């Protein structure tokens, strides 16, 4: 479903060349919950940005649902991103002028969804994250945890197949972090594939698969038995 | 999506009120100044009868002897001699035609309470009214027969009718002009034709005449010329007949020619006339010829819009350009400051085209508001021109074209200024800002 083969990303300046990713090979199957860990500067966010088509890559092949991302134009990538990918950022990245309803509406507008359908989805997603009653509030009136839940609602509203989360609990206290994590787990159970970058080993352990990125490469690969295997076995039974 | 962009644009403008106000003032002042000068230029150069542009023609003849030149660009006098006007108007080629003279009278009202006054008049043929679509309230032009043998009849304008009789249908009443009684055969509705394309010799602007009499009265009443009289050689003029026989050019002659064939026929007719006159000893030059000019050619030829006005328009557009440069830099700063938000929008699926369009709509809204405010500033500028300089009274106006042009120019100018900032911001790399928000 998501396949990266020998992906490399090089940042060049006049003086320095930085290899952010090198021979990065990665496959993701439908319904997985994957945690990406690694030290700062290891290339986790670069990987996530490339996976979300927010950045282009220097070499290799990246296929998303069988579509060769490298062959797409910028607008084509934007359309694919809009249709298939939801983002959750560490800094929430809500638009401060817009209320919660309007924030969640942003990706739906770009997809050209009709007003009635937008309303239905927004209300459903805000209810799902427990903020249905605060749709008219602006982000500044919410706590960090609530803002992150709005960001999750925004990501969910587009009904994406992939949810890419970049340290979604990084700015939250432990209680709120747990709540957000539970929310992500529920979303994963509902069928969304989640790739989450995190520094928190406890959160990483709760994912079905954990990969570690060091110096722009995957250095360890563990499949957690309690995760995808069990899910598959259950499905086969 | 367009309405959504308008909503976003409105929010954005409100978010930075000071910058928005500065940009609004910059475009409004630029548009105000530009529209003031452009309106004057437009009103000066406007063709008041575009639908008859290729039908109404001014007639010119190069009548001077070899060696005598005129000061015009094509060495043709603006007006005709009496004998040429009389000879040419005998022809039947034009659909309509009129010879004309600007003259004037002392008017003695029948009402003793109204003191006598001086009134400018126009001696013309009966076709004049149809040619220039002069509207009648009562009566009509005098009969064609009067064009051949003068009769003391007159057509008066609405204003003069009000002044003399207090308005109403006064056809059949008399008006005394220089002690001669003229029977009123027609009364005009309020009427305005500017620039006065039928006679540009004494200024293109100002009130049209309120008094018209038959051109055929010219030799009978020995009508004085209140317009320009130009000669190219010394001639004794002891009697009025001397002037009629002279080579002095002092009469306007206009023709209405329906189509290209009629125009060619009239040119041939003029060429034949010149040859005939040369046989009679006139037009002693190798390049004696005639010419006809349609309305727009005539306005251009008579340089109704002075070079100063053109320079002024150019300067005002340069000023607008400076305003736009300021707007461009303000927009650039404003849009780039918003790059993180754009990064989020791009991450959520906005294409470059959508981001570009969103910002152009915002700029377009600024242009629309600036255009509206600019219109008010232009109105103020035109008002100041009208009150400060009486010669601008007729032209310091804004017609529908200019009312529509102001917001159009403003929006286009703002879009032009906004293109680069919008392009710059739409190229935002989303990933660059998502971590830094």
């Amino acid at each position: 479903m998501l396949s990266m083969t020998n992906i490399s990303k090089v940042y060049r300046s006049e003086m320095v060349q930085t290899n952010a990713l090198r021979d990065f090979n990665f496959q993701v199957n439908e319904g997985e919950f994957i945690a990406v860990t690694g030290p700062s500067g290891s290339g986790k966010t670069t990987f996530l940005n490339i996976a979300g088509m927010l950045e282009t890559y220097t070499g290799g092949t990246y296929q998303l649902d069988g579509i060769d991302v490298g062959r797409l134009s910028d607008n084509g990538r934007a359309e694919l991103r809009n249709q298939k990918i939801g983002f959750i950022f560490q800094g929430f990245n809500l638009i401060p002028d817009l209320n919660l309803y309007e924030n969640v509406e942003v990706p739906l507008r770009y997809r050209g969804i009709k007003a009635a359908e937008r309303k239905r989805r927004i209300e459903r997603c805000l209810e799902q994250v427990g903020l249905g009653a605060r749709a008219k509030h602006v982000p500044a009136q919410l706590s960090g945890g609530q803002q992150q839940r709005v960001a999750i609602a925004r990501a969910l509203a587009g009904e994406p197949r992939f949810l890419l989360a970049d340290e979604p609990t990084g700015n939250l206290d432990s209680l709120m972090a747990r709540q957000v994590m539970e929310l992500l787990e529920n979303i994963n159970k509902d069928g969304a594939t989640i790739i989450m970058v995190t520094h928190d080993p406890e959160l990483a352990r709760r994912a079905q698969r954990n990969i570690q990125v060091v110096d722009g490469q995957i250095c360890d690969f563990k499949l957690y038995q309690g995760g995808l295997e069990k899910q598959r076995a259950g499905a086969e039974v | 999506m367009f309405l959504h962009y308008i909503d976003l644009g409105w929010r954005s403008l409100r978010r930075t009120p000071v910058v928005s106000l500065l940009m609004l003032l910059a475009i409004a002042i630029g548009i105000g100044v530009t529209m003031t000068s452009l309106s004057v230029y437009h009103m000066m150069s406007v063709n008041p009868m575009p639908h008859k542009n290729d039908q109404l023609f001014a007639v010119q003849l190069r009548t001077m002897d070899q060696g005598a030149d005129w000061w015009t660009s094509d060495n043709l006098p603006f007006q005709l001699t009496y004998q040429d006007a009389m000879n040419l108007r005998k022809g039947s080629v034009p659909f309509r035609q009129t010879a004309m003279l600007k003259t004037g009278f002392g008017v003695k009202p029948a009402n003793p309470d109204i003191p006598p006054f001086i009134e400018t008049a126009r001696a013309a043929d009966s076709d004049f009214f149809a040619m220039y679509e002069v509207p009648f309230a009562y009566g009509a032009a005098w009969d064609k027969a009067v064009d051949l043998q003068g009769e003391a009849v007159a057509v008066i304008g609405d204003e003069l009718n009000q002044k003399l009789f207090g308005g109403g249908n006064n056809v059949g009443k008399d008006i005394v002009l220089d002690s001669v009684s003229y029977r009123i055969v027609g009364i005009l509705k309020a009427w305005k034709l500017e620039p006065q394309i039928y006679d540009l010799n004494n200024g293109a602007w100002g009130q049209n005449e309120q008094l018209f009499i038959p051109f055929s009265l010219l030799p009978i009443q020995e009508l004085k010329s209140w317009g320009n009289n130009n000669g190219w050689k010394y001639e004794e003029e002891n009697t009025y007949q001397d002037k009629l026989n002279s080579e002095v050019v002092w009469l306007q002659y206009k023709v209405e020619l329906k189509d290209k064939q009629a125009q060619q026929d009239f040119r041939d007719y003029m060429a034949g006339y010149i040859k005939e006159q040369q046989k009679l000893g006139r037009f002693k030059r190798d390049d004696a010829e005639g010419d006809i000019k349609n309305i727009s050619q005539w306005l251009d030829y008579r340089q109704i819009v002075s070079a100063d006005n053109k320079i002024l328009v150019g300067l005002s557009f340069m000023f607008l350009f400076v305003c736009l440069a300021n707007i461009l830099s303000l927009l650039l700063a404003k849009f780039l400051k918003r790059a993180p938000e754009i990064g989020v929008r791009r991450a959520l699926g906005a294409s470059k085209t959508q981001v570009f369009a969103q910002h152009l709509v915002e700029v377009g809204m600024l242009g629309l508001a600036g255009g509206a405010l600019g219109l008010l500033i232009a109105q103020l500028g035109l008002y100041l021109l009208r009150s400060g300089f009486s010669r601008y009274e007729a032209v310091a106006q804004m017609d529908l074209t200019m009312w529509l042009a102001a917001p159009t120019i403003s929006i286009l100018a703002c879009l032009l200024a906004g293109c680069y900032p919008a392009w710059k911001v739409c190229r935002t790399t989303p990933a660059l800002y998502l971590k830094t928000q």
Side-chain angles (χ1 to χ4, degrees):
Chain A
M1 158 179 208
L2 184 154
S3 167
M4 288 184 176
T5 311
N6 296 327
I7 288 288
S8 63
K9 176 68 182 179
V10 180
Y11 294 107
R12 288 190 180 89
S13 65
E14 285 181 11
M15 305 291 288
V16 186
Q17 175 174 306
T18 308
N19 292 303
L21 292 181
R22 291 179 295 174
D23 292 330
F24 198 93
N25 292 290
F26 186 55
Q27 311 289 323
V28 179
N29 297 311
E30 182 123 29
E32 281 192 289
F33 190 156
I34 298 168
V36 181
T37 57
S40 293
S42 60
K44 302 186 299 294
T45 299
T46 302
F47 152 68
L48 206 67
N49 286 338
I50 289 173
M53 293 173 283
L54 297 176
E55 279 191 70
T56 54
Y57 45 92
T58 314
T61 309
Y62 171 27
Q63 288 200 322
L64 185 69
D65 269 350
I67 299 166
D68 188 349
V69 171
R71 291 179 180 276
L72 294 175
S73 65
D74 189 86
N75 283 351
R77 288 197 299 274
E79 193 180 339
L80 190 63
R81 183 163 61 232
N82 181 256
Q83 286 175 352
K84 292 188 184 290
I85 295 175
F87 283 99
I88 303 166
F89 307 100
Q90 180 181 0
F92 323 134
N93 288 348
L94 298 176
I95 298 171
D97 296 343
L98 307 182
N99 62 32
L100 306 194
Y101 186 98
E102 292 161 338
N103 262 290
V104 178
E105 194 178 30
V106 171
L108 306 182
R109 287 263 189 191
Y110 291 122
R111 201 187 286 189
I113 293 172
K114 295 261 186 287
E117 172 65 9
R118 285 204 305 268
K119 186 169 184 290
R120 190 188 65 76
R121 286 197 193 190
I122 294 163
E123 286 173 352
R124 178 174 54 79
C125 291
L126 282 175
E127 285 296 337
Q128 194 175 345
V129 299
L131 290 168
R134 307 192 69 174
K136 296 296 174 192
H137 287 68
V138 291
Q141 295 172 305
L142 304 181
S143 68
Q146 287 171 323
Q147 289 192 39
Q148 191 58 296
R149 277 149 60 191
V150 176
I152 292 171
R154 182 176 65 185
L156 291 178
E159 296 175 354
R161 297 188 63 193
F162 291 94
L163 209 55
L164 305 182
D166 191 359
E167 301 191 39
T169 59
N171 284 0
L172 304 177
D173 62 36
S174 56
L175 177 64
M176 285 186 178
R178 266 204 306 278
Q179 289 175 351
V180 167
M181 192 58 198
E182 281 164 13
L183 193 55
L184 291 176
E185 284 169 338
N186 288 336
I187 292 163
N188 176 242
K189 279 177 190 159
D190 289 343
T193 305
I194 300 178
I195 302 173
M196 176 181 70
V197 166
T198 183
H199 276 116
D200 187 336
E202 188 193 332
L203 294 182
R205 273 196 295 276
R206 292 171 69 168
Q208 296 159 356
R209 183 149 65 108
N210 194 336
I211 64 162
Q212 274 201 315
V213 179
V214 177
D215 289 341
Q217 288 183 309
I218 296 176
C219 74
D220 194 8
F221 184 90
K222 287 181 182 175
L223 187 65
Y224 283 83
Q225 292 300 316
L228 188 63
E229 295 271 295
K230 276 187 180 176
Q231 197 179 2
R232 281 181 181 164
E236 282 167 12
V237 170
Chain B
M1 210 60 185
F2 181 70
L3 290 176
H4 180 56
Y5 291 155
I6 288 178
D7 180 42
L8 292 178
W10 174 238
R11 286 168 193 255
S12 170
L13 292 171
R14 277 194 317 179
R15 195 189 308 158
T16 52
V18 176
V19 175
S20 299
L21 188 66
L22 280 175
M23 290 192 290
L24 184 70
L25 285 176
I27 186 68
I29 292 170
I31 286 294
V33 170
T34 305
M35 292 315 296
T36 302
S37 64
L38 196 61
S39 294
V40 172
Y41 177 88
H42 172 72
M43 292 304 284
M44 280 184 164
S45 57
V46 73
N47 182 343
M49 298 185 78
H51 56 289
K52 291 190 94 170
N53 187 58
D54 290 324
Q55 294 179 30
L56 295 181
F57 293 86
V59 180
Q60 293 175 277
L61 285 176
R62 190 176 295 126
T63 57
M64 309 83 73
D65 285 347
Q66 195 80 35
D69 287 323
W70 218 261
W71 63 83
T72 52
S73 57
D74 55 1
N75 202 18
L76 284 164
F78 297 136
Q79 302 185 98
L80 298 187
T81 63
Y82 176 75
Q83 47 187 327
D84 290 328
M86 289 301 288
N87 290 335
L88 286 174
R89 80 195 260 277
K90 282 176 191 163
S92 58
V93 178
F95 176 66
R96 293 188 181 108
Q97 58 182 330
T98 179
M100 287 181 287
L101 169 71
K102 182 181 180 182
T103 183
F105 299 96
V107 181
K108 188 180 174 190
N111 183 347
D113 295 337
I114 305 171
F117 56 90
I118 301 291
E119 186 69 38
T120 309
R122 177 153 297 271
D125 288 314
S126 59
D127 277 350
F128 171 85
F129 303 98
M131 286 171 74
Y132 294 99
E133 297 174 348
V134 187
F136 278 85
Y138 305 106
W142 49 83
D143 292 337
K144 280 266 185 195
V146 178
D147 290 334
L148 300 175
Q149 46 189 17
E151 187 182 327
V153 291
V155 168
I156 63 172
D158 173 65
E159 203 175 296
L160 186 57
N161 187 40
Q162 295 288 344
K163 191 173 180 178
L164 289 174
F165 306 108
N169 184 356
N170 296 295
V171 170
K173 290 185 180 173
D174 288 341
I175 178 173
V176 178
L177 308 174
D178 285 354
S179 306
V180 177
S181 185
Y182 289 71
R183 180 170 48 85
I184 297 170
V185 295
I187 296 171
L188 303 179
K189 290 180 182 170
W191 171 65
K192 199 172 188 182
L193 184 67
E194 287 182 319
Q196 289 177 8
I197 49 175
Y198 53 83
D199 184 3
L200 298 170
N201 290 304
N202 300 105
W205 317 100
Q207 200 186 30
N208 299 112
E209 290 89 351
Q210 290 288 310
L211 183 56
F212 297 86
I213 57 165
F215 181 79
S216 49
L217 285 175
L218 189 141
I220 301 167
Q221 302 289 355
E222 297 192 352
L223 299 175
K224 299 284 186 293
S225 168
W226 283 30
N228 290 5
N229 297 261
N230 303 104
W232 50 271
K233 68 176 183 181
Y234 176 76
E235 291 174 293
E236 286 279 351
E237 276 188 28
N238 296 318
T239 64
Y240 196 78
Q241 192 59 45
D242 287 343
K243 183 162 187 176
L244 298 183
N245 295 335
S246 74
E247 293 295 338
V248 171
V249 291
W250 56 306
L251 302 169
Q252 303 91 48
Y253 177 52
K254 312 285 174 180
V255 292
E256 183 172 347
L257 304 166
K258 282 289 185 190
D259 51 33
K260 294 229 178 280
Q261 184 57 52
Q263 292 165 30
Q264 188 53 52
D265 291 347
F266 189 75
R267 286 181 188 279
D268 294 343
Y269 170 67
M270 281 197 297
Y273 172 71
I274 289 166
K275 278 184 186 163
E276 184 188 288
Q277 290 296 307
Q278 283 176 325
K279 281 181 193 165
L280 295 172
R282 294 181 68 216
F283 301 179
K284 289 181 232 167
R285 60 185 302 135
D286 301 333
D287 59 347
E289 64 173 356
D291 191 25
I292 53 174
K293 293 185 174 71
N294 68 22
I295 298 173
S296 54
Q297 288 168 337
W298 190 241
L299 290 170
D300 192 40
Y301 178 71
R302 297 302 307 268
Q303 296 179 326
I304 295 308
V305 184
S306 69
D308 288 352
N309 281 100
K310 289 176 183 170
I311 291 168
L312 201 62
V313 170
L315 285 174
S316 64
F317 269 99
M318 283 173 70
F319 179 71
L320 178 63
F321 186 76
V322 172
C323 293
L324 290 182
N326 281 297
I327 291 169
L328 190 149
S329 54
L330 286 169
L331 281 174
L332 198 59
K334 179 180 170 158
F335 285 177
L336 289 182
K337 196 181 169 194
R338 206 195 294 166
E341 181 195 319
I342 299 308
V344 175
R345 287 186 178 279
R346 296 273 287 125
L348 296 176
S351 64
K352 281 182 181 173
T353 313
Q354 285 170 319
V355 172
F356 187 74
Q358 175 193 329
H359 288 86
L360 276 196
V361 168
E362 181 181 335
V363 171
M365 288 169 66
L366 188 71
L368 185 64
L373 188 59
L375 269 174
L376 294 179
I377 294 173
Q379 288 301 320
L380 178 68
L382 292 170
Y383 169 76
L384 293 174
L385 268 179
R386 285 196 300 271
S387 27
F389 306 92
S390 58
R391 66 198 170 96
Y392 279 107
E393 214 160 274
V395 290
Q397 309 277 352
M398 212 176 248
D399 65 3
L400 181 64
T401 311
M402 287 294 107
W403 276 98
L404 295 175
T408 307
I409 292 173
S410 180
I411 290 171
L412 288 178
C414 277
L415 290 180
L416 188 70
C419 266
Y420 178 67
W423 176 78
K424 191 89 178 157
V425 78
C426 85
R427 289 171 58 85
T428 298
T429 306
L432 203 62
Y433 298 99
L434 296 175
K435 272 273 188 186
T436 59
Q437 279 242 317

